[in-house]
Amino acid sequence: MPVPEAPAAASYAWSPPAEAGRPPQPVLPGLWLFAPSRDSHGGSAWWLEHLDGGLLIDCPGWTEANLAFLARQAGGRIVLTSREGHGRCRRFQQALGWPVLVQEQEAYLLPGVERLETFAAARQLSPRLHLLWTPGPTPGSCVLLASGCGAPTGDAGGPGGGQPDDDLAGQQGDILFCGRLLSPTAPGLAAPLRTARSFHWGRWLGSLDALRRRLPPDSPCWIASGAGLGALRGGKVIKGGRALLEELDLEALAAAAASPNPAS
């Protein structure tokens, strides 16, 4: 499918992708994973076809395949979980015309992006879609809790869209899109991982503690990370998200803050 034409009143020199790329792959009913993007330091972006509307969680690579996939959707919103997932946000917004949601502390990083919406501590997009500010990986990191997942409203994949993983198909529940708050460390496991680009370790652990207290009991069923997924050894989402959150030893992790680390 050809990519959409540039808007007539584009505010900058819009151009279609030069790279063909490959389309996202289905993971759960209504959930697709895009290929890792060098524009987001190898991070992961997701398309969620939710009962309350489509959501692009972080920006994938600027490719023909990704843009064509998104252009087939009836509409959507772009949710950015941190500055690490901005990628080519302005290009996607111009091409699709969708609103962009970002935590207010990182809105300044998106000059010229139209239909930019910000929030502070929290934002309820619908009764089943909640954004929560979780600073630490970056100043404006946030997570998206989506309940009522696993029941797509249509065929978001279009021709050649494929089928979800057999082991996951038909299962429903809520998904926590955690951005870089948690990174995969082994099959079925994830933890907070500092890098040279990390913002503040103490606030990071505080965000995890607050998140555990704020989420509903037994939530989330699934965790979808915005980091690289290689450590999952072929897995895409992490099952048993609530147990994973509860098993994090925040006191032991806090002790790491006492050791010299320029990223703290």
Side-chain angles (χ1 to χ4, degrees):
M1 178 177 178
V3 298
E5 295 182 358
S11 58
Y12 75 106
W14 190 95
S15 60
E19 182 180 346
R22 55 185 174 88
Q25 58 182 304
V27 177
L28 289 169
L31 180 65
W32 280 258
L33 170 65
F34 293 89
S37 170
R38 59 178 175 268
D39 295 328
S40 58
H41 304 279
S44 302
W46 304 84
W47 169 256
L48 176 65
E49 186 184 358
H50 194 270
L51 295 170
D52 297 332
L55 295 170
L56 176 62
I57 298 107
D58 292 325
C59 286
W62 178 244
T63 68
E64 292 181 2
N66 288 342
L67 184 55
F69 172 88
L70 294 169
R72 286 197 294 268
Q73 313 313 320
R77 289 175 282 189
I78 301 172
V79 174
L80 301 174
T81 63
S82 80
R83 66 192 180 198
E84 305 291 355
H86 289 190
R88 305 290 183 91
C89 177
R90 186 173 65 172
R91 292 180 181 271
F92 278 108
Q93 197 285 324
Q94 285 281 357
L96 300 168
W98 296 351
V100 177
L101 293 101
V102 64
Q103 206 280 335
E104 60 185 11
Q105 295 201 44
E106 295 184 1
Y108 77 97
L109 296 170
L110 298 168
V113 172
E114 300 175 1
R115 302 189 66 187
L116 189 66
E117 302 176 14
T118 64
F119 69 97
R123 172 81 177 268
Q124 183 170 321
L125 304 181
S126 78
R128 293 173 289 197
L129 295 170
H130 299 266
L131 281 167
L132 299 172
W133 179 38
T134 53
T138 71
S141 290
C142 66
V143 299
L144 171 70
L145 180 66
S147 60
C149 298
T153 58
D155 179 15
Q163 297 296 324
D165 290 350
D166 291 339
D167 292 342
L168 306 179
Q171 302 189 42
Q172 299 186 26
D174 56 359
I175 303 174
L176 181 71
F177 294 92
C178 67
R180 307 297 176 102
L181 192 70
L182 295 168
S183 297
T185 56
L189 296 177
L193 295 180
R194 286 183 291 177
T195 72
R197 295 171 56 86
S198 297
F199 166 56
H200 194 285
W201 187 235
R203 293 188 185 182
W204 194 333
L205 299 182
S207 290
L208 284 165
D209 182 51
L211 185 63
R212 292 196 299 200
R213 290 184 280 105
R214 185 161 187 174
L215 290 176
D218 301 321
S219 177
C221 296
W222 308 93
I223 289 178
S225 176
L229 306 182
L232 296 181
R233 302 291 180 87
K236 305 299 184 294
V237 292
I238 299 173
K239 187 178 180 180
R242 183 67 195 197
L244 187 150
L245 288 173
E246 293 294 341
E247 291 168 4
L248 289 175
D249 189 341
L250 299 184
E251 291 186 2
L253 290 168
S259 61
N261 190 320
S264 302

